[in-house]
């Protein structure tokens, strides 16, 4: 069962388990969209669903594994993020703990739970989280709820802390989604013989760890079958284990798109930063406990992202 099963990650997770031969239930308040044709779609607003409704859902379907890919990411205020990323997880764990045969719970966390990383080093799971954004703070509340359920109730649960996920179809509200959309529109303008407008961005001072959406899905698949003795009650980082300079990444996106346009960065705001300058995960635990490692290159991810947005073959220049 995939909660948030019609979202960016949830839909792809459902497709992967369906391809593996699993019976997949996608739970979402949104229409089914283009998920697996043979999957079972359950319409439910998880943000408002009470314990009785959730208990009825799990009791009737009796899933072997539940992937929580629901929540609020790009849009919404802190109250809405709290409802989707924290309060839902409290209800979810309470209901699952009372089932006669509880399923494995795979909670999707985020690198933003950690806050600032140490330049030049990967953040390990043992680091004390210090999130600086509403998204990071509310996701951390969800993680702590899952870990408490595992410790206190013996719940079979694992938290995958994902780096920034990139690939085809990233949400339009995300930074990479906005850049890809701008390059797509610029490509259409260029094809008409006109000069595209500049790509105006905030200061690109940060370094970010990125993970391809296919690699992230493979980590979920691995977590679903890993022995409880290995993965149960664990936080496991899932990323490429590298901090990529954002200015270099944007330059590469423009180059691969084949669009000739200037990139203009805004003048840095002298006020204190509200995000972090360095994000890099240590992913050695994922290899040790799940047998997982990232396999797709950054260019693979960028080409997939651009192919879905730019109405022309993606430039193969190196």
């Amino acid at each position: 069962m995939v909660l948030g099963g019609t979202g960016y990650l949830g839909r792809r997770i459902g497709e992967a388990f369906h391809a593996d031969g699993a019976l997949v239930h996608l739970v979402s308040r949104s229409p089914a969209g283009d998920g697996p044709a043979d999957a079972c779609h359950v319409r439910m607003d998880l943000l408002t669903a009470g314990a009785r409704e959730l208990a009825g859902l799990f009791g009737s379907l009796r899933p072997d594994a539940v992937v929580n890919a629901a929540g609020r990411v790009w849009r919404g205020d802190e109250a809405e993020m709290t409802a989707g990323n924290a309060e839902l997880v409290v209800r979810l764990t309470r209901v699952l703990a009372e089932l006669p045969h509880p399923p494995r719970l795979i909670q999707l966390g985020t690198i933003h739970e950690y806050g600032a990383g140490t330049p030049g080093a990967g953040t390990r799971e043992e680091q004390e989280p210090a999130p600086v954004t509403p998204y990071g703070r509310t996701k951390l509340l969800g993680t702590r709820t899952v870990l408490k359920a595992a410790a206190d109730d013996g719940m079979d649960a694992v938290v995958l802390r994902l780096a920034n996920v990139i690939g085809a179809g990233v949400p339009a509200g995300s930074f990479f989604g906005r850049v890809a959309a701008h390059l797509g529109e610029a490509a259409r303008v260029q094809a008409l013989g006109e000069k595209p407008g500049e790509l105006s961005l905030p200061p690109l001072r940060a370094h970010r760890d990125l993970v391809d959406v296919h690699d992230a899905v493979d980590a979920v698949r691995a977590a679903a079958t890993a022995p409880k003795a290995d993965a149960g009650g664990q936080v496991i980082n899932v990323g490429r284990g590298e901090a990529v300079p954002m200015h270099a990444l944007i330059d590469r996106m423009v180059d691969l798109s084949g669009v000739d346009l200037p990139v203009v960065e805004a003048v840095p705001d002298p006020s204190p930063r509200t995000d972090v300058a360095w994000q890099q995960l240590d992913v050695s635990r994922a290899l040790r406990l799940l047998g997982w490692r990232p396999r797709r290159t950054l260019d693979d991810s960028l080409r997939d992202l651009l192919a879905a947005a730019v109405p022309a073959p993606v430039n193969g220049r190196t």
Side-chain angles (χ1 to χ4, degrees):
M1 181 181 294
V2 184
L3 308 183
T6 58
Y8 174 55
L9 268 175
R11 177 166 55 85
R12 287 160 174 79
I13 291 167
E15 290 170 349
F17 279 114
H18 177 73
D20 288 340
L23 174 60
V24 177
H25 293 84
L26 305 176
V27 183
S28 175
R29 65 181 176 180
S30 304
D34 57 353
D38 295 335
C40 299
H41 298 273
V42 180
R43 294 290 295 271
M44 178 182 287
D45 187 343
L46 292 166
L47 296 184
T48 61
R52 180 175 297 182
E53 191 175 2
L54 290 172
L57 174 68
F58 296 124
S60 63
L61 298 179
R62 293 182 294 178
D64 297 298
V66 174
V67 181
N68 184 20
R72 298 301 296 268
V73 184
W74 304 112
R75 296 185 174 93
D77 57 26
E78 189 154 0
E80 292 171 320
M81 290 185 182
T82 299
N85 300 335
E87 293 170 359
L88 169 61
V89 183
V90 172
R91 296 196 303 276
L92 176 62
T93 53
R94 288 176 179 171
V95 169
L96 292 180
E98 294 176 357
L99 294 177
H101 303 287
R104 166 164 292 180
L105 173 62
I106 303 169
Q107 169 75 8
L108 301 188
T110 173
I111 191 173
H112 297 284
E113 295 174 42
Y114 285 122
T118 301
T123 300
R124 298 176 63 87
E125 290 87 351
E126 295 85 359
Q127 176 168 312
E128 183 64 26
V132 299
T133 64
Y135 178 59
R137 288 192 292 269
T138 56
K139 289 295 286 185
L140 179 59
L141 292 174
T143 288
R144 286 175 169 164
T145 296
V146 171
L147 296 181
K148 187 175 188 300
D152 295 351
D153 303 324
M155 179 174 291
D156 183 3
V158 58
V159 176
L160 300 182
R161 235 172 221 158
L162 303 180
N164 302 280
V165 180
I166 190 170
V170 294
S174 71
F175 176 75
F176 294 113
R178 293 195 301 271
V179 172
H182 185 97
L183 291 174
E185 180 58 30
R188 284 183 279 272
V189 169
Q190 184 172 279
L192 296 174
E194 302 175 13
K195 185 175 178 59
E198 67 182 26
L199 174 59
S200 180
L201 298 172
L204 301 174
R205 300 173 295 178
H207 289 65
R208 293 286 181 261
D209 197 333
L210 306 158
V211 64
D212 186 89
V213 63
H214 297 291
D215 283 335
V217 169
D218 284 345
V220 175
R221 293 171 59 234
T225 56
K228 181 180 179 181
D230 293 337
Q234 296 284 338
V235 174
I236 301 176
N237 289 339
V238 174
R240 294 183 67 246
E242 298 178 3
V244 179
M246 292 299 292
H247 66 85
L249 183 69
I250 296 303
D251 287 346
R252 185 59 177 159
M253 285 185 70
V254 172
D255 183 57
L256 288 172
S257 74
V259 179
D260 183 16
L261 84 173
V263 177
V264 179
E265 296 183 43
V267 176
D269 189 337
S271 62
R273 293 179 63 90
T274 57
D275 64 350
V276 298
W278 186 277
Q279 288 182 329
Q280 179 182 347
L281 294 176
D282 182 311
V283 295
S284 57
R285 180 179 290 184
L287 178 59
R288 187 172 71 255
L289 299 185
L290 304 180
W292 176 92
R293 61 163 58 92
R295 300 188 182 279
R296 306 199 83 226
T297 69
L298 195 54
D299 269 9
D300 290 335
S301 304
L302 295 179
R303 286 191 171 98
D304 286 351
L305 171 60
L306 292 168
V310 178
V314 174
N315 193 329
R317 288 182 295 174
T318 58

